[in-house]
Amino acid sequence: MNTQTELEIEAAAFRRLRDHLASRTDVQNIDMMNLTGFCRNCLARWYQEAAAEKGIEMSKEDAREVYYGMPFADWKAKYQTEASAAQKATFDATPKDH
């Protein structure tokens, strides 16, 4: 496999992950963080960091809007629920490695 093909496949896999998570608005970011150590906001931040590596400056909010397909505040108001005490306790007890 050549480098360009590999890049295209990786980009397609990222888009599929993004689209899958967009269809699963019932899955809360805190649950993703507690189970996997990353969430949608991490993906947006990684997008921002990749852009910066290419010399493209992007704010955190701009990266989130690209990732979520809408301003993060809109997504949050529409889909994010209040985290339970148990979710918060698990989050606080989980090591953060990124």
Side-chain angles (χ1 to χ4, degrees):
M1 180 181 324
N2 67 41
T3 304
Q4 183 60 36
T5 301
E6 183 177 9
L7 181 66
E8 291 169 7
I9 291 169
E10 289 171 349
F14 172 81
R15 288 189 299 271
R16 188 164 181 185
L17 173 61
R18 179 201 60 206
D19 294 348
H20 176 76
L21 292 174
S23 74
R24 291 298 312 270
T25 55
D26 59 310
V27 177
Q28 296 295 299
N29 280 338
I30 194 166
D31 292 323
M32 291 177 63
M33 285 297 296
N34 289 345
L35 292 171
T36 66
F38 78 97
C39 70
R40 294 171 183 91
N41 290 333
C42 297
L43 290 165
R45 188 181 75 246
W46 298 339
Y47 185 93
Q48 177 189 18
E49 291 169 357
E53 288 175 9
K54 295 290 187 183
I56 300 167
E57 291 303 316
M58 175 180 291
S59 71
K60 178 171 73 172
E61 289 306 313
D62 288 342
R64 285 182 175 181
E65 187 164 346
V66 168
Y67 181 81
Y68 284 94
M70 65 180 75
F72 178 62
D74 293 350
W75 189 92
K76 189 174 175 180
K78 197 170 185 179
Y79 301 113
Q80 188 166 306
T81 60
E82 181 65 31
S84 69
Q87 287 170 314
K88 290 176 184 177
T90 300
F91 180 81
D92 291 341
T94 303
K96 311 300 182 274
D97 62 354
H98 66 280

